[in-house]
Amino acid sequence: MSILKKIEDFREEEERLKWEGTFADYLDLLKEKPWIAQTAHSRVYHMIKDAGVEEENGRKKYAFFSEQLYGVEESIEKLVEEYFHSAAKRLDVRKRILLLMGPVSGGKSTLVTMLKRGLEQYSKTERGAVYAIKGCPMHEDPLHLIPNHLRQDFYEEYGVKIEGNLSPLNMMRLEEEYGGRIEDVLVERIFFSEDKRTGIGTFSPSDPKSQDIADLTGSIDFSTIAEYGSESDPRAYRFDGELNKANRGMMEFQEMLKCDEKFLWHLLSLTQEGNFKAGRFALISADELIVAHTNESEYRSFISNKKNEALHSRIIVMKIPYNLKVSEEEKIYKKMIAESDLSHVHIAPHALKVAAIFTILTRLQEPKKQGVDLLKKMRLYDGESVEGYNSQDLEELKQEYPDEGMSGIDPRYVINRISSAIVRKQLTSINALDVLRSIKEGLNQHASISKEDRERYLDFISIARKEYDTIAKKEVQKAFVYSYDESAKTLMDNYLDNVEAYCNKNKLRDPLTGEEMTPDEKLMRSIEEQIGISENAKKAFREEILIRISAYARKGKRFDYNSHERLREAIQKKLFADLKDIVKITTSTKTPDESQLKKINEVIARLIDEHGYNSVSANELLRYVGSLLNR
């Protein structure tokens, strides 16, 4: 379908969604679809919920955020449940400004942008439909037309609570245009749009000496005073401030804590009472979610000023720390690269993972728990199994430092260093060593890094390099194994036959001679030692394997190579250990013979076809692993 056809379809869809009728028609619609009268906070909550919610390990994961924000699921769950859900239920938390606090490039702006774009789309759905008094610059809720003395009767009939009063402009229009007949007032469906300033507003502070409070609350149109005769005539007022235009939706208050005090005074009554003062009018009602974002140092400075106590009590702070999972950090880099002009560059497998290992280490606090170092902590955080530790240990580690993730290296720095390496060296392919080298070079140019932090970060680069050495050796060794999975399966079946005979105190029968044999202790130990199973622990480990096989059999499942994580690791290491000498000789020979050359070409082909390398990065990997094995 051409782009012009899509534009035409979009235009037709917008026309189809339009609705206009009298207030009486709107009430009929309200009886049929009571959700159209929901508050701004409720609409945001249902928008997030309707996108889908999954439960994983007792935690909720919201699909609405999953494609843009990575590794901050716990913060998002807290935000949605403690703020949006409670606010949707009309609890007191909705009378608070939502302040997102976190380090630079941590996802605060992305989260706010997602809410704004989400509301624009949601207002075009049936569940997110919004209706307003036609011709009102503030898109006012039609239910404000119901007089206060009839609102209890309305609640009993419709089950909908009404909050807020009719604005001065619509009060005048009701009398002059409709002769006081509420039922005849025209109502229309509106669609949120930040560009058209409908239901979504954005306020960014500038120089306090030049910025006018009218940017927030609107202003008098002096050209119309002669026509209407008074500054207190609502027709002589432009209801075009951000607070006016964001009514029914949300307003983003950028750098709120840097604002001049007079701009924040209006937020006091807006948050607590749901109204604000503008011009020479009565208080104007507004129903909107106010979101601001800041960093920790600005917030600390703000709360230390006693003048800000009143506003501080009307703020709910939600921390948005850095992601602390290596696998999620890798996704962040992939997303940022895909959005950049670097997408044509080949980035070798594990290059981004190694960069992520370094970055996450800079964000983690040294664990207090005995026996846990930063690497183990990093692996536990990423959902890897670490021998001797379980989910309870993970929760204990998370409780040690409530502010963990509020400092460290940000994702933009890593992407900038990758860009620098590519541009400076005119590379079309980049590997893990190139990335680490560029990160290291950039530390001296990073103005905000102290000398102590720089020393720590250099250590983390060394740790990330060692992790890459292990990954690289495994990658090459795996590629050297012809029909790797078949070899692994054969070795595992042999091991399991011996374990079964050992545990049941039986003998094995030689498939060729038919002779009875005792279980091959040497074979079993050669595999078990790969994962540190001691002589004393071997019996328990073998029995556990047998129990797992029985459990699978009862469920009608087949126990295979991937059924036991630690056994799979042991099999892999055993295969790799047997191959090490072959790999060493083949990769380090400067003048390989025909058979070695054939083997090298087969390995390069496998690295390209099955592991995601290109010819440049595959050759670089082989040379590097050869140098490692010869040390």
Side-chain angles (χ1 to χ4, degrees):
M1 189 187 290
S2 72
I3 191 68
L4 292 176
K5 181 70 173 73
K6 288 179 180 179
I7 291 169
E8 185 185 337
D9 290 348
F10 175 75
R11 190 168 56 243
E12 287 174 1
E13 178 65 10
E14 282 209 321
E15 283 298 317
R16 187 186 66 78
L17 290 173
K18 285 180 180 176
W19 183 94
E20 186 180 309
T22 63
F23 183 64
D25 297 330
Y26 173 72
L27 290 183
D28 290 339
L29 196 63
L30 184 62
K31 275 202 169 175
E32 185 187 336
K33 303 172 182 178
W35 62 81
I36 62 176
Q38 64 188 326
T39 63
H41 288 83
S42 175
R43 191 173 293 109
V44 172
Y45 172 68
H46 285 107
M47 169 187 76
I48 295 167
K49 193 180 169 191
D50 289 353
V53 187
E54 288 180 20
E55 286 234 13
E56 201 175 277
N57 300 323
R59 294 205 172 278
K60 289 181 179 176
K61 194 172 181 180
Y62 296 91
F64 181 84
F65 297 103
S66 62
E67 289 184 14
Q68 292 286 325
L69 294 171
Y70 304 105
V72 287
E73 291 83 7
E74 290 177 30
S75 300
I76 286 174
E77 182 184 13
K78 188 177 180 184
L79 170 66
V80 174
E81 292 305 314
E82 292 186 18
Y83 184 78
F84 288 125
H85 193 182
S86 301
K89 298 284 186 187
R90 296 179 187 263
L91 295 173
D92 211 48
V93 72
R94 74 194 170 104
K95 298 177 179 179
R96 305 284 181 273
I97 297 165
L98 174 61
L99 180 64
L100 304 176
M101 182 178 73
V104 293
S105 192
K108 304 184 298 297
S109 299
T110 302
L111 194 153
V112 175
T113 301
M114 289 183 75
L115 290 175
K116 291 194 288 189
R117 296 295 84 81
L119 277 173
E120 289 176 343
Q121 292 302 315
Y122 195 58
S123 66
K124 293 174 183 173
T125 66
E126 188 177 352
R127 296 288 299 178
V130 189
Y131 295 82
I133 295 171
K134 189 177 181 185
C136 172
M138 283 184 62
H139 346 288
E140 188 163 9
D141 187 345
L143 295 183
H144 286 181
L145 290 161
I146 303 288
N148 282 314
H149 68 279
L150 292 176
R151 289 187 177 183
Q152 183 57 36
D153 295 338
F154 181 84
Y155 176 70
E156 288 169 9
E157 185 176 348
Y158 287 86
V160 175
K161 288 181 180 176
I162 303 173
E163 294 177 353
N165 298 311
L166 201 60
S167 67
L169 180 62
N170 285 324
M171 204 174 285
M172 178 176 277
R173 290 179 63 208
L174 176 62
E175 295 304 320
E176 295 196 357
E177 292 179 29
Y178 299 100
R181 289 180 58 81
I182 291 170
E183 61 272 31
D184 292 341
V185 174
L186 288 176
V187 175
E188 64 179 347
R189 182 173 178 180
I190 62 168
F191 305 103
F192 288 161
S193 168
E194 185 176 19
D195 293 338
K196 295 177 182 176
R197 299 184 75 216
T198 305
I200 298 174
T202 304
F203 181 79
S204 184
S206 59
D207 182 2
K209 293 174 184 175
S210 60
Q211 191 156 27
D212 192 351
I213 198 71
D215 293 345
L216 274 183
T217 60
S219 60
I220 295 164
D221 185 352
F222 290 101
S223 66
T224 61
I225 291 175
E227 182 183 349
Y228 297 119
S230 169
E231 288 183 18
S232 60
D233 189 309
R235 292 170 298 180
Y237 197 83
R238 290 195 295 254
F239 293 89
D240 60 356
E242 294 304 323
L243 292 180
N244 308 102
K245 293 299 182 181
N247 187 33
R248 312 294 302 286
M250 70 174 279
M251 189 183 91
E252 178 188 7
F253 220 120
Q254 295 178 348
E255 303 296 343
M256 187 184 83
L257 303 186
K258 289 179 181 172
C259 275
D260 190 63
E261 287 175 12
K262 66 180 180 181
F263 288 95
L264 302 179
W265 292 337
H266 286 281
L267 302 182
L268 295 175
S269 64
L270 179 59
T271 51
Q272 194 62 37
E273 311 298 335
N275 52 45
F276 63 91
K277 193 82 173 71
R280 298 176 182 179
F281 306 118
L283 290 166
I284 297 173
S285 296
D287 170 32
E288 55 198 79
L289 159 70
I290 298 176
V291 186
H293 39 93
T294 188
N295 59 50
E296 196 167 8
S297 59
E298 277 182 3
Y299 177 70
R300 298 291 170 213
S301 175
F302 172 77
I303 61 174
S304 65
N305 187 345
K306 293 292 181 185
K307 288 182 180 179
N308 298 324
E309 280 184 358
L311 186 62
H312 183 224
S313 67
R314 288 169 172 82
I315 289 174
I316 186 163
V317 179
M318 285 288 170
K319 290 180 181 175
I320 308 293
Y322 282 134
N323 155 60
L324 296 175
K325 297 177 181 176
V326 170
S327 55
E328 296 296 308
E329 189 72 11
E330 208 178 338
K331 290 178 187 175
I332 294 172
Y333 300 155
K334 284 178 181 174
K335 183 189 91 168
M336 293 173 83
I337 287 167
E339 292 169 353
S340 73
D341 292 335
L342 303 177
S343 51
H344 68 285
V345 176
H346 171 76
I347 297 177
H350 312 296
L352 298 182
K353 180 177 181 176
V354 171
I357 288 170
F358 161 74
T359 310
I360 299 300
L361 287 172
T362 69
R363 298 172 186 171
L364 294 177
Q365 301 278 357
E366 198 68 45
K368 298 173 186 175
K369 193 173 181 68
Q370 194 171 1
V372 182
D373 59 17
L374 272 180
L375 266 178
K376 282 181 182 173
K377 183 177 183 176
M378 181 191 77
R379 291 193 172 105
L380 285 166
Y381 272 26
D382 203 31
E384 290 184 41
S385 60
V386 177
E387 189 178 353
Y389 299 96
N390 54 32
S391 56
Q392 180 63 40
D393 296 305
L394 175 59
E395 289 307 312
E396 285 177 18
L397 285 169
K398 287 180 179 178
Q399 299 303 319
E400 285 182 351
Y401 299 98
D403 286 338
E404 193 167 45
M406 298 298 279
S407 62
I409 292 289
D410 65 283
R412 285 191 196 127
Y413 172 78
V414 174
I415 295 300
N416 289 345
R417 295 314 305 162
I418 292 173
S419 306
S420 175
I422 291 166
V423 172
R424 192 173 69 248
K425 297 182 180 178
Q426 298 293 307
L427 299 174
T428 54
S429 176
I430 193 165
N431 61 37
L433 297 177
D434 295 322
V435 172
L436 286 178
R437 200 177 296 117
S438 186
I439 288 172
K440 185 177 181 179
E441 288 168 1
L443 290 178
N444 292 323
Q445 303 158 22
H446 204 301
S448 62
I449 296 177
S450 66
K451 187 179 178 182
E452 292 77 14
D453 281 343
R454 191 174 290 113
E455 292 301 317
R456 279 196 317 121
Y457 292 174
L458 288 172
D459 288 342
F460 295 150
I461 288 174
S462 298
I463 292 171
R465 170 77 177 266
K466 286 175 186 172
E467 288 293 295
Y468 176 64
D469 290 352
T470 304
I471 292 167
K473 282 188 276 189
K474 279 187 179 180
E475 194 91 318
V476 170
Q477 288 167 338
K478 191 184 286 188
F480 261 86
V481 180
Y482 181 73
S483 187
Y484 174 78
D485 287 337
E486 196 60 39
S487 304
K489 181 179 175 297
T490 303
L491 183 58
M492 191 196 73
D493 287 344
N494 197 356
Y495 173 77
L496 292 179
D497 288 342
N498 280 277
V499 163
E500 195 172 354
Y502 170 86
C503 291
N504 294 328
K505 295 183 171 57
N506 291 334
K507 299 229 177 205
L508 288 164
R509 193 170 292 278
D510 189 301
L512 293 175
T513 63
E515 291 179 23
E516 285 192 339
M517 305 179 299
T518 55
D520 190 341
E521 185 65 23
K522 188 178 177 183
L523 170 77
M524 289 187 285
R525 291 303 294 140
S526 70
I527 292 170
E528 291 156 358
E529 283 168 354
Q530 301 294 331
I531 50 170
I533 303 293
S534 66
E535 186 69 28
N536 293 333
K538 70 180 184 183
K539 187 171 184 289
F541 180 74
R542 292 169 188 176
E543 287 172 347
E544 188 225 317
I545 296 285
L546 214 57
I547 290 166
R548 182 77 66 92
I549 293 170
S550 301
Y552 268 70
R554 281 199 304 275
K555 293 175 185 174
K557 294 181 181 178
R558 189 177 181 279
F559 186 91
D560 62 20
Y561 176 61
N562 293 307
S563 301
H564 193 287
E565 197 170 324
R566 293 192 68 214
L567 178 57
R568 184 180 70 223
E569 184 189 348
I571 298 286
Q572 283 180 355
K573 286 186 173 179
K574 170 63 178 162
L575 281 171
F576 295 160
D578 293 347
L579 272 170
K580 188 173 180 180
D581 289 340
I582 300 170
V583 175
K584 187 175 175 181
I585 293 165
T586 313
T587 56
S588 60
T589 304
K590 289 181 181 177
T591 53
D593 60 31
E594 192 177 331
S595 65
Q596 287 170 336
L597 197 61
K598 184 183 176 188
K599 190 70 177 172
I600 288 171
N601 289 335
E602 282 177 4
V603 170
I604 288 172
R606 200 163 292 122
L607 286 169
I608 293 169
D609 296 341
E610 298 175 19
H611 298 271
Y613 290 83
N614 68 1
S615 58
V616 174
S617 59
N619 275 290
E620 286 173 345
L621 178 72
L622 277 180
R623 282 198 299 273
Y624 181 63
V625 170
S627 70
L628 286 177
L629 294 176
N630 278 310
R631 284 177 190 174

